[in-house]
Structure formats: structure tokens, C-alpha cells
Amino acid sequence: MRAEHLVGRDAELELAMEILRQEGAGAVLLVADSGIGKTALAAEIAARLAGEMVVMQVHGSPALSAVPYGVLAPYLLDLPVEQATSPVAILREFWSQFEQRRGGEGARLLLIVDDAHDLDEGSTQILAELVTAGWARLVATSRPRPGLPAALLQLWYDGLAERLELHPLDQVTVTELAEKTLGGAVMSSAAEALHAMSEGNPLLLHCLLEDSRTDGNLVRRNGVWLLTRALSGDGESLADVVRNRVLRTSEAEREAMYVIALSEPVPAAVLDTLVGRDTVRALMDNRLVVSANGPGGPLRMWHPMYGEALRQIVSPARSLQIRQRMVQQFPGEPSTEEGLLRMVGWALDCGADVDDERLLQAAFLAAKTLQYPLALAAAAKVRSEELRPRARAVMAMVKYNDGDYRGAVRLLEEGSGFLDADAAGPVGAGLLWAAARAAAGDSPADIVADAWAAAKALMGERESSDSVLQRVEGHVRAVELAVLASDGHYEELREGLDRFAEKFATDGPDLALNRIFLRAMQCELLTVEGQAVEALDAGREALLLLDEHHHEILYISDFVLLRYTLAALEAGDWEAAGTALDRYGAATARGLIYFGGDLEALKGLSLLRQGRLEKAEELLTPAVEALRVRDPLQLRSLGTALAFYAAARSGNASLASRLESEQCGAAAGGAYVEALAELFRLAGEELLSKGTGLPKLSGLPESGHLHRLPGILLQNLVLRAEAGDVQALESIQETASSMAGSWATGWQSLAAAQLRGEGQGLVNAGNLLAASGMPGPAAVAFDKAAVTFDAEGKRPEARQAAVLRDVNEATLGDALVHDPQTEADRSVPLTRREQDIVALAVSGLTDRQIAEKLMVSVRTVEGHLYRSYAKLGIRRREDLGAAVRH
């Protein structure tokens, strides 16, 4: 492994070096699962100590584990055959080899032993004796199972060795490693997906990066690396790693791994019958196979990527042969959703027949977990005319999320149209059809007219019961209401929702779907009307209903989550918004890839409202690149406008100018989203070219009813106030007074305090804003308070307000919300990494120099410095020296 693969191992490296350099006996035992980096760490230790010690390498091997002293053979070439079993003779010869290597210069011996768990007992004893006698230093690597040999463990028990257990890398470190490997910034959601897929395993992460870059999935756009589709385990780099590992096992173990990979999870009893308990135990001891649900549970490959790679390695003929054996062992239905998908996917790969009900069930489940190739393959195989409309809805959902809106429309209009897809239960095909039509650029009037035409055509073709008529009318009414909201007709929407609730959401065949839709639309309506807390309650109820019926409904889950998130952002409930967005990546890392650009755009809006400009710009610029590739939530125009505004506000004129030129041609995201995009676009114009955007912002409320709605108007007024429009403060106070949520309440308090011009009022507003997780506006309030107090000659109050300002400013580069009292507490110690970075900063190094020295990203250095400023109670880098001396 290259040096960058040691990112995140600084503490272990430093400790190991300290132990090996100390007087007396010393050994370091590195224990970790395969691919975690123990071999790379041992190699780095050897490289750093090569100038001080004579390094001799020993490599454990399963093939030599039964051969006495077999691994020491390279150092025993001159040993007479009759002495080959004498420990004393072997020890003497080994030492002789060392003496020749050090050439009489008095250097110490450093033994690097890789895969110590595969050492034979005799070799282990020789190595342990060298350490015990103080003749050698030792670094040994081992997997947790079967673990270190007894003789090396004895060194630990005797206090002659330190056992260091290496754990998987956390997400921050995975991001650093990926950026170091790729030589550039990695989009936040892509880094999160890489962490989830690799589970923090450096070797597997390296394989993912290499394979994704080779197959064109990992691409660099405007300096940012992003993923264009779901990660897979079918790349050559991963296959080579897996082949190498598999070839080191016995034939019986390989057979067992093929069976497990193809049909996982496999009940332990079934596998015992097929391959024998001893084989299964050997695989578990070597951490190639693990129990899925604790001891006695079904078995799977130790890592999902290993399972996927093995499935690619097995030939189709061999796969079919194994499947024929396994089908006899699984006479019933798979017990888990994962098992169902694996069995159906396996059957499709082998060309085996699967009944339509199971195919459709798997297609639905695959679409929900974003396993799109399987969803398409399973849905396309459905033959039943009764089930085909629902299968087409699944395929349309995949087309929609991939940006093929016309393809989605064609699928939903095929046959009897989207209305038949819901005949056997609520799917949400009508709403998906309307969304696809809107995204493709069709007019609202045409969408509604075509929906009614489809309903009349369907009713004309067949005799229908009252319940069927009600179902069809309910779906078309839902389409009509969704189009009203998308077109910004919220007054008509309120009336329509009342009628819909009375007729379709109290009784009927699609009660669940109708109630979910109703509460989602009420959530949107209440949000734009400024009643964000009530909107959140409506959205929360819709989410609860979704969880109860998640097996049946497709598109509407994204429909609800978007509205709930926007309501949370309007309410200033940043935690609720974050929790909602986390649902996209909760079940699978694929959500972070397909929805990554949309998620980053919404997070960027959250950060801007909190006043975290630096972090917002960091997220939003890559988000724009991802939204060009895929935009299932239709947020490209909002994301681009937010990124443009953030760049303009931060003074990055070149980036802002580029983004300004890219703000046309995006698919419409609905009236509320587009209105927000227009506000930030105009505010960015004002920042970029003074006097160009502010008059337009001021005139928007007079342009139509939409921009007079409180949920849109307040954002307009806030942007104007931040641009220096003092008149907007009075309007903020008036507008926010009728609104709910901490975002509106915080700005009402700040506007009122600024208009009064009282220092204590500004402090109170700052405290309210800080408590609401809005450190940017809070810092403004405290700064104005300090100026006011200072003008009045109130020096102690001015100093206190300035401290509170500095504390809030110090948190602005960090995505987390911090308690101001905690930040100002000098008793909170700096972490080890913070101490290192602060020390280097005090020595005069720049952030980039520190990053290069510590092999981390510049962004990581900046984040640690911001947190250090807050803990030290300072505001500027120039104050670091004095702060650390105290």
C-alpha cells in the first residue's frame, strides 16, 4: 500500500515507534481483520526505522504452518541438515545472519513478522526468545481469529509487548484517504457512500476507488470527484484481492464460499450438511464467513463486497449447478427480504424460471432499495397481464430516478395507463406519472387534462363498480392537487384538499395512499403559509403511514420526504431535517449516490439558514456537479442558486460567475422550490453586482400571490436584510410574528432588537439565535451588541458580547451545532490531533503545509483549528500562541 493508505493511523504509528525505540525488550503486536492496514502499518514502521535498525522480514503462510521452522528457511540456508531441528542451532544461525547484515555497526535487530497467525510453533518460539532476551525488536501482524500464537501472546502477558488493535476507518478518515488517493476533493455524499460500502476497510476502499475510476463511475468535474451510479463489487481490482484470498484456502473451503456468496444468508445447519462443520468452522476462524445475526444465525461472507466479487468469479454453469443443489435445501419462501432478492437475482442470472408474484415482489423491493438493475430485470420478466401495469410502474420509477422522464411516461401510459397500476393496491403511479410529465416540461393544464382523459377512457372500456370509480377519481384528483401545488396555486389547493379529505381520505380502497398524499400536501401548504410546526406534524404523520405501507408504495416516499424536509428547514428544526435526509442512506449506500446532489442541496439550504456559509459553500459546489448527472427530487435549480449565492457571498467571484451562467435549463422543482431558487439567485446577483438584485427582490411580493406567502416572503426579507436593506427589518418583524418555528422566531427577535438598537436586546436575540442552532445570525447580533455597548461606554458588557460573538464565529466552519457555553469553557481539552495542528500552526505553517505534513485534507485542518479557537476562547489564528502558553 502507498503512504496515503496510512491516513488515520498516526496515533498507532507514533506509539509503535516509541515502544520499539525504548530501552530493554519491546514488541508491537498489530491485530486487525484483513484489509484494515496492519501490513501497511508494519511496512511503514520498518521504513522509518530502517536507518536505525537492521530489518529482517518473516512471512507467515498457511502452506508452511505445519512445517517446523519453515518460515525461517530464507535465513537458514547455511545450516547443516542434521541441525535443522535443533532450536539452539537455528537460533545461532539466525543470529549469524543478523550479524552479517549489520556489519559490526552495533545496530539493533527489528523483526517484521506478517501473518503471525500462520506461523508454526517452532518459529514462533524462536522469535519470542529473541525478544525476551532483548536481542531483537518485533512487529507482528495477525488477524483476530485464529489470533496470535501462544508464544507471542505470552510476550504481551509478560509486559514485553503492546497489543494494538486496528479498527475500521471512520467516515472523516475515509474522506481524507479518498481525497489523498484521488488528488482532489470528494463530494460529501460520495465519501459517505464509499465509507458505507467499504465499511471503513482501507484495502476494500482502495479497490472501490480503483475500479470505480476505471469503469467511469467515479468522475471528476470542476475539481470535485463524484459517483455517477451505484458502487458494485464486480471490478478487477477487487476480484484480484478476492482471488488471492480464496486461492489460499482449501478446495472444500472454496466450495463453501461459493455456496454462501451465491445464496447468502445460508442457515448454518444447511451449510454443515453440504460442506461439513469443520469446513464452516475453518472459514469462520479465518474471518472469511460470519454469522449474520449472532451465534447460530445464518451465515454470509464477512464483507458484502467479497460476496459480490465471488459471484462474479463463479462461472454461470457452476452457479447453476450450485443453485440446483441449494433449491432442494430451501423448499419454502426466503425468510428475509435480502434472501428473496438474492434468490430471484440468482435465478435470473442462471436463466431459471421464477413465478410472476415473486418477480414483482422482488422488483418492488429492489426498486425501494435502489438496486435498479435487479428491479428492471425482475419487472421485465413479469408475464401476467394483470401484474404487468405494476411491473411497468417499477420500471418507470427506475427511469424517473435515472432522469429518463419521457421513458417513465411511456411505461406508465402503456396499455391501460398508470391508473391500472394501482388496481391491485396503492402504488402511487399517478403521482409518478404527473411528476415525470412535469419534469419533462409538459404544461400543468395538459397534465391535468390528460389525467382526466385517461380516467374517462378507462371507464369507457369496462364496467366498473362504485369502489373502482372512487379509486380512479381519487387518483386523478390527487394528480390535479399535486399539479396545483407545483404551479403555485395554493389558495385553490387548500380548497381542493378539504374536498379530497372529505371524499377520499376517510374511506375507500386506497385509504392509506390517499391519507399519505393528503398529509404530504398539507405539509407543503402549511410550510408556504408559514405554519412550519403544523407542517412538520402533518409530514410526520405521513412518514408514519409510509412506514406501515412501505411494501406497496413507490414514488410517494420521496414525495413525502422532500416536503417534510422543507418544512423542517422552514421551522428551523435542523435535527428533524437531518434525520429525514438520513433516511435516504439508512438502508443502503445507493441512496447517497442517486440522491446525493439533492441531499447536499437541502443540507446547503439548512447551513445557509444557520449562517454556516463556509460549510454550505463546501457542500453546494459539488452538489451542482452531481445534480447535472441525476436529480430525482428536481432540486437542480435550487441547488445551483444556493451555490451561486454562497460563492458570491464568500467573495469567490469567478465561481459565482460560472454558476450564474449555469442557472438555466434545469427541470422545474415545483412552485415553492423554484420561488426559493429565484430569491437566492437575485440575492447572489446583488452581492456580485451591487444594486442589481435588491430592487428585484423588493418587487417580488407585488408580482403575485405566491411571493406574498409568509414561507417565501420571510426568506426574501432575510436575504434583503443580510444585503443591507434596513427597511426589510420592519417587514421581518411583522411577517415573522404570525409564523411558527425557531427560524422565524429568531429572525423576528434579531429584527426587533436591531430596530430598537439596545445592547441588551441584541444580546438576548443573539442568545435565542445561538440556542436555535443559528450561529451566523447570532454572531451578528452579538457583534452589534458589542458595538452598541462600546458606544455607550459599557466596557464589561461590550467585552462579554465580543466573547459571545467570537464563540459563535468559531463554530461557523463546523457542521455541528455547538452549545456556546461549552465552546467558551477553557476546561474542555484539545484532542491529540487538535494539539498537533495547533502546534504546527503556532510554528508558522499554513493550513496547506499542515495538511501535507499530516497527510490530511486542508478542510480537516481548518475544522480542527475552528474547534480549537472555540475551546481556547480566541477568535483569530494570530492569538493561538498566547492562548496555548496560558
Side-chain angles (χ1 to χ4, degrees):
M1 283 191 187
R2 297 189 296 272
E4 60 261 27
H5 299 147
L6 287 169
V7 170
R9 301 298 184 204
D10 295 353
E12 292 89 345
L13 180 59
E14 290 176 10
L15 178 57
M17 300 280 286
E18 182 181 337
I19 292 168
L20 297 169
R21 282 173 170 152
Q22 69 186 5
E23 293 299 323
V28 175
L29 310 177
L30 302 176
V31 180
D33 280 323
S34 178
I36 295 297
K38 55 186 181 296
T39 300
L41 182 55
E44 181 65 17
I45 292 170
R48 294 201 181 190
L49 293 177
E52 307 171 32
M53 302 180 187
V54 175
V55 179
M56 296 177 69
Q57 305 270 357
V58 175
H59 298 278
S61 166
L64 295 174
S65 60
V67 180
Y69 311 110
V71 296
L72 300 181
Y75 302 108
L76 306 177
L77 298 177
D78 296 332
L79 186 70
V81 175
E82 61 272 14
Q83 297 180 12
T85 57
S86 168
V88 174
I90 290 171
L91 187 60
R92 186 185 302 115
E93 179 60 25
F94 191 89
W95 190 254
S96 173
Q97 290 290 327
F98 162 63
E99 289 290 346
Q100 291 178 27
R101 281 171 169 74
R102 73 172 176 176
E105 295 183 5
R108 292 176 173 177
L109 170 61
L110 175 61
L111 295 169
I112 303 294
V113 183
D114 201 20
D115 288 344
H117 50 271
D118 284 328
L119 292 178
D120 64 276
E121 184 178 352
S123 297
T124 306
Q125 198 64 48
I126 292 290
L127 298 173
E129 287 180 13
L130 286 167
V131 175
T132 303
W135 294 354
R137 301 289 186 270
L138 171 72
V139 176
T141 71
S142 172
R143 298 189 200 124
R145 295 179 64 177
L148 289 157
L152 297 186
L153 276 176
Q154 190 63 47
L155 296 175
W156 181 41
Y157 297 146
D158 293 341
L160 301 177
E162 183 74 30
R163 185 180 185 275
L164 302 182
E165 188 167 347
L166 306 184
H167 298 285
L169 305 177
D170 60 23
Q171 187 178 322
V172 172
T173 309
V174 164
T175 304
E176 292 178 13
L177 196 155
E179 291 181 341
K180 198 81 175 177
T181 302
L182 297 171
V186 176
M187 185 175 172
S188 177
S189 57
E192 192 175 344
L194 287 165
H195 175 256
M197 191 73 173
S198 67
E199 296 183 357
N201 186 295
L203 178 60
L204 298 184
L205 175 63
H206 171 70
C207 293
L208 278 176
L209 293 172
E210 287 293 317
D211 291 337
S212 297
R213 194 158 44 169
T214 300
D215 67 13
N217 182 16
L218 188 63
V219 296
R220 189 174 189 174
R221 298 196 173 172
N222 286 316
V224 177
W225 289 93
L226 55 94
L227 292 161
T228 61
R229 59 182 182 276
L231 293 160
S232 69
D234 59 359
E236 193 57 37
S237 179
L238 177 62
D240 286 343
V241 169
V242 174
R243 286 193 198 98
N244 183 51
R245 186 86 186 271
V246 169
L247 287 173
R248 298 169 66 184
T249 62
S250 68
E251 185 176 346
E253 290 168 352
R254 286 196 291 275
E255 176 70 11
M257 283 191 285
Y258 294 151
V259 170
I260 295 169
L262 288 165
S263 54
E264 61 185 350
V266 185
V270 170
L271 205 59
D272 286 347
T273 302
L274 287 173
V275 301
R277 181 165 299 180
D278 290 342
T279 300
V280 174
R281 186 178 295 113
L283 290 172
M284 295 187 73
D285 284 344
N286 285 296
R287 290 283 294 169
L288 286 164
V289 171
V290 296
S291 178
N293 301 314
L299 301 176
R300 65 174 75 246
M301 295 305 299
W302 79 277
H303 195 285
M305 286 177 61
Y306 258 55
E308 194 167 346
L310 277 172
R311 291 192 284 273
Q312 299 297 323
I313 291 172
V314 179
S315 68
R318 188 77 185 95
S319 177
L320 179 60
Q321 185 182 44
I322 294 173
R323 186 178 186 279
Q324 289 169 343
R325 290 170 57 196
M326 293 303 294
V327 165
Q328 301 172 8
Q329 302 293 331
F330 296 115
E333 292 289 320
S335 59
T336 64
E337 293 180 342
E338 180 189 5
L340 170 67
L341 291 177
R342 181 83 290 281
M343 294 305 289
V344 171
W346 191 8
L348 292 175
D349 289 341
C350 295
D353 192 43
V354 183
D355 67 83
D356 284 346
E357 290 283 354
R358 184 176 284 193
L359 280 170
L360 186 59
Q361 183 185 3
F364 256 76
L365 182 56
K368 287 183 173 300
T369 55
L370 308 182
Q371 299 181 56
Y372 288 158
L374 176 56
L376 289 173
K381 290 288 185 180
V382 174
R383 298 172 293 272
S384 164
E385 286 302 318
E386 181 182 356
L387 299 179
R388 282 292 296 164
R390 295 170 73 82
R392 286 195 292 268
V394 171
M395 293 189 284
M397 177 73 180
V398 175
K399 295 281 188 184
Y400 180 87
N401 281 348
D402 271 337
D404 183 2
Y405 305 121
R406 288 298 178 197
V409 171
R410 283 193 296 272
L411 283 165
L412 290 167
E413 292 181 346
E414 190 176 330
S416 299
F418 63 86
L419 292 168
D420 256 1
D422 291 304
V427 175
L431 292 173
L432 175 60
W433 172 81
R437 289 283 302 271
D442 293 346
S443 72
D446 286 346
I447 296 171
V448 173
D450 290 347
W452 282 114
K456 290 175 184 177
L458 182 64
M459 294 302 98
E461 290 176 0
R462 62 188 77 166
E463 295 184 7
S464 304
S465 63
D466 290 342
S467 64
V468 173
L469 288 172
Q470 185 184 27
R471 174 182 63 78
V472 171
E473 184 185 356
H475 289 325
V476 178
R477 290 292 182 192
V479 167
E480 191 174 41
L481 292 172
V483 171
L484 280 175
S486 180
D487 207 27
H489 297 294
Y490 287 105
E491 287 180 318
E492 296 175 48
L493 176 66
R494 176 168 285 285
E495 297 173 5
L497 287 176
D498 290 340
R499 292 194 296 269
F500 186 87
E502 183 179 347
K503 186 170 183 180
F504 302 108
T506 56
D507 192 17
D510 287 346
L511 177 61
L513 177 63
N514 291 344
R515 284 187 64 194
I516 292 169
F517 170 75
L518 174 66
R519 297 305 276 158
M521 294 310 301
Q522 288 172 334
C523 178
E524 179 176 348
L525 178 63
L526 289 164
T527 299
V528 298
E529 289 180 341
Q531 302 308 309
V533 174
E534 289 184 47
L536 269 181
D537 289 339
R540 195 171 291 115
E541 184 180 337
L543 287 175
L544 289 173
L545 288 167
L546 263 179
D547 290 339
E548 292 177 22
H549 300 276
H550 71 281
H551 290 292
E552 304 168 283
I553 300 170
L554 282 175
Y555 164 74
I556 200 170
S557 60
D558 300 332
F559 186 89
V560 173
L561 273 172
L562 174 60
R563 284 153 181 80
Y564 177 82
T565 303
L566 290 170
L569 295 179
E570 186 72 22
D573 192 337
W574 323 119
E575 183 178 356
T579 300
L581 296 178
D582 286 344
R583 286 173 66 120
Y584 284 100
T588 169
R590 298 179 186 90
L592 300 169
I593 299 169
Y594 284 105
F595 294 90
D598 292 311
L599 301 184
E600 302 290 69
L602 291 170
K603 289 177 182 177
L605 176 58
S606 176
L607 291 164
L608 286 174
R609 285 186 167 175
Q610 296 169 49
R612 302 180 188 278
L613 177 62
E614 180 183 341
K615 186 65 177 177
E617 184 180 7
E618 183 182 302
L619 284 181
L620 288 166
T621 305
V624 172
E625 305 305 324
L627 288 169
R628 289 199 190 97
V629 177
R630 189 173 282 105
D631 180 22
L633 299 184
Q634 305 303 309
L635 297 180
R636 181 178 168 187
S637 58
L638 177 60
T640 306
L642 292 171
F644 167 58
Y645 171 79
R649 191 171 170 189
S650 67
N652 192 340
S654 60
L655 175 60
S657 297
R658 176 172 68 78
L659 290 168
E660 185 178 28
S661 67
E662 296 172 356
Q663 293 192 77
C664 58
Y672 177 53
V673 167
E674 293 303 313
L676 290 178
E678 185 176 11
L679 296 178
F680 280 97
R681 184 165 55 248
L682 292 175
E685 287 179 11
E686 175 65 22
L687 292 167
L688 204 59
S689 303
K690 201 71 173 174
T692 57
L694 202 53
K696 295 176 185 176
L697 282 171
S698 301
L700 277 177
E702 306 305 320
S703 67
H705 175 72
L706 179 64
H707 280 279
R708 291 195 294 273
L709 291 169
I712 297 171
L713 178 58
L714 182 61
Q715 182 65 80
N716 183 328
L717 295 169
V718 166
L719 290 170
R720 284 161 55 187
E722 290 179 331
D725 185 353
V726 178
Q727 292 182 342
L729 294 174
E730 291 185 7
S731 299
I732 287 176
Q733 193 175 4
E734 179 184 349
T735 302
S737 64
S738 65
M739 297 175 65
S742 60
W743 183 65
T745 302
W747 270 102
Q748 180 192 11
S749 175
L750 178 57
Q754 285 187 256
L755 289 169
R756 288 194 303 270
E758 297 174 358
Q760 189 54 49
L762 287 162
V763 169
N764 293 341
N767 286 328
L768 177 61
L769 288 161
S772 301
M774 299 162 65
V780 171
F782 290 128
D783 185 61
K784 291 182 181 297
V787 172
T788 302
F789 282 134
D790 192 58
E792 295 172 353
K794 298 178 179 178
R795 299 290 186 268
E797 290 87 345
R799 283 196 297 272
Q800 181 61 31
V803 169
L804 292 172
R805 173 202 61 203
D806 294 348
V807 166
N808 279 274
E809 284 186 347
T811 70
L812 295 181
D814 191 353
L816 299 176
V817 176
H818 298 287
D819 180 352
Q821 300 303 318
T822 301
E823 295 291 5
D825 184 358
R826 297 292 193 90
S827 66
V828 178
L830 298 180
T831 65
R832 176 68 175 273
R833 177 50 65 88
E834 287 168 352
Q835 291 174 25
D836 292 342
I837 289 176
V838 166
L840 291 170
V842 170
S843 73
L845 295 185
T846 65
D847 289 354
R848 183 164 298 282
Q849 289 170 331
I850 295 172
E852 291 173 354
K853 185 176 182 66
L854 297 180
M855 291 190 297
V856 299
S857 68
V858 174
R859 187 174 62 199
T860 298
V861 172
E862 292 169 346
H864 283 301
L865 283 174
Y866 279 123
R867 287 186 285 274
S868 300
Y869 294 163
K871 291 180 181 180
L872 294 169
I874 62 174
R875 183 182 178 188
R876 303 175 304 167
R877 189 189 192 98
E878 291 76 8
D879 299 330
L880 273 174
V884 296
R885 283 194 293 272
H886 295 312

